[in-house]
Amino acid sequence: MSIVRRVFYSIIRIFAKLIFTIFYRDHGAFHRENFPRDDGTPILFIAAPHGNFLMDAITIFVACPRQMYFLSAKSNFNYPIFGTIITILGCIPVTRPQDVERVNGDGLVKVIDEGKMVTGEGLGKILQVGDTLYVEFEGPNNNEMLKEASGTVEEIMNDDLVRIKEPDIPTTYSYTHMPPNSEVYSAVYNHFSKSQCVAIFPEGTSHDNEHMLSLKYGCAVMSLGYLASKEPDAFGKERKLKLVPCGLNFFNRHRFRSRVFVDVGHPIEIEQRLVDLYRSGGEGKRQACQELLKTIQTSLTELTVNAPDYNTLLF
């Protein structure tokens, strides 16, 4: 991080602390001793649940003593002031499917096999696994109101058939291509290689649920992908990485003078067995990501309150 960015980072952090102190009557971090000391090992901070892209980022920003780079939706960079700030701070833009311009498809498609397949001329040629397919269909009683549903393409069966789950009627369609993540991973690996810290909200979207959503594979892929490389880091040393789960606990998140605290979990050391399994590719790579993601999910669950109210906690 350049001197200019270090100074700017410090100024923004002081300003963020001031805002936090005004808005929340009580805030802080539990188990701060779990924040690793700066021993040259890069860290991936993994925080959940993700309720608001701004307040959640500020919460981690204020609580963590280490300088870090946040992954942020590319659309956030379009805000006039906020976008400039996160650009100077070196945040890493992530293009999500909903940020990609939707393309209208030619002709009609039909969903068959009890909603498991979508067929249409040339559909398999223009779509890829991971793309989002949108279909429109008539509402109840054949009224003029159109309903829309979307789903992720799971498998390309042939040139005219893809596997997905949608309604079983002829319908118009549109789609978005799943943006490649190679640039995001490359940016993250670059920070890791320089022994820097990166922060991510692995649910992939903000929400108001009382419990965490299922975590996306990105945090597991970027962790194992970095360690799986046999190249040394920027200092010529063997690659290392620690994962630090952070539970975000808000009490009346949007209410003025409410409370918030971050519960910092024990750092997760990634087993060499998982790294070797990831290197094997194919099913081994998938299994390694699933195991690591399960470990992360378990850690975050232990650090957060996944219940709608106090009575639920009392059974």
Side-chain angles (χ1 to χ4, degrees), residues 28-31 34 245-249 261-265 300 302-304:
F30 289 171
H31 306 112
N34 288 332
C246 299
L248 302 178
N249 296 276
F261 68 88
V262 180
D263 201 351
V264 186
L300 287 173
E302 293 174 350
L303 299 171
T304 54

Side-chain angles (χ1 to χ4, degrees), residues 116-120 122-133 151-164 175-177:
K116 298 178 181 178
M117 302 283 188
V118 180
T119 181
L123 191 63
K125 294 181 179 180
I126 61 175
L127 295 178
Q128 303 171 4
V129 174
D131 288 351
T132 302
L133 181 64
T152 302
V153 177
E154 297 178 346
E155 184 179 359
I156 305 295
M157 308 303 294
N158 56 49
D159 288 349
D160 302 323
L161 186 66
V162 299
R163 181 186 297 277
I164 203 169
Y175 59 92
T176 58
H177 284 304

Side-chain angles (χ1 to χ4, degrees), residues 21-255:
T21 302
I22 294 174
F23 192 86
Y24 294 105
R25 64 181 173 88
D26 188 15
H27 63 85
F30 289 171
H31 306 112
R32 295 182 66 91
E33 66 275 8
N34 288 332
F35 281 127
R37 291 180 296 177
D38 190 358
D39 59 358
T41 301
I43 299 172
L44 178 63
F45 290 98
I46 305 174
H50 188 28
N52 180 280
F53 78 93
L54 179 59
M55 297 310 296
D56 292 352
I58 292 179
T59 302
I60 297 296
F61 188 68
V62 170
C64 181
R66 302 281 296 275
Q67 292 189 349
M68 64 182 70
Y69 296 84
F70 284 89
L71 272 74
S72 181
K74 191 173 183 179
S75 57
N76 292 337
F77 288 76
N78 297 328
Y79 292 105
I81 298 178
F82 182 72
T84 301
I85 292 175
I86 61 178
T87 298
I88 297 176
L89 290 176
C91 293
I92 303 169
V94 179
T95 303
R96 305 168 300 173
Q98 57 265 43
D99 298 327
V100 180
E101 183 179 359
R102 191 185 299 189
V103 180
N104 291 323
D106 296 326
L108 299 176
V109 296
K110 185 175 182 180
V111 184
I112 59 176
D113 192 17
E114 298 182 351
K116 298 178 181 178
M117 302 283 188
V118 180
T119 181
E121 184 177 356
L123 191 63
K125 294 181 179 180
I126 61 175
L127 295 178
Q128 303 171 4
V129 174
D131 288 351
T132 302
L133 181 64
Y134 301 86
V135 297
E136 293 181 343
F137 57 98
E138 291 184 351
N141 302 321
N142 294 322
N143 61 32
E144 295 181 356
M145 180 179 63
L146 291 178
K147 301 289 185 179
E148 181 180 81
S150 64
T152 302
V153 177
E154 297 178 346
E155 184 179 359
I156 305 295
M157 308 303 294
N158 56 49
D159 288 349
D160 302 323
L161 186 66
V162 299
R163 181 186 297 277
I164 203 169
K165 187 176 181 180
E166 297 298 347
D168 185 12
I169 54 174
T171 174
T172 57
Y173 72 98
S174 58
Y175 59 92
T176 58
H177 284 304
M178 179 62 184
N181 293 318
S182 56
E183 292 184 3
V184 176
Y185 292 143
S186 178
V188 171
Y189 296 162
N190 181 54
H191 288 305
F192 285 162
S193 181
K194 297 177 181 177
S195 299
Q196 295 171 338
C197 303
V198 174
I200 185 175
F201 299 99
E203 293 167 290
T205 185
S206 57
H207 61 89
D208 292 325
N209 294 348
E210 296 86 3
H211 55 81
M212 287 192 304
L213 302 180
S214 297
L215 305 186
K216 304 295 184 182
Y217 276 91
C219 58
V221 173
M222 64 180 57
S223 301
L224 291 169
Y226 173 73
L227 294 176
S229 174
K230 296 183 179 180
E231 295 182 1
D233 63 17
F235 305 102
K237 299 180 181 179
E238 181 183 0
R239 295 192 174 200
K240 297 180 180 180
L241 180 66
K242 290 182 180 179
L243 311 184
V244 178
C246 299
L248 302 178
N249 296 276
F250 289 85
F251 298 85
N252 297 316
R253 178 188 296 270
H254 303 293
R255 180 175 295 179

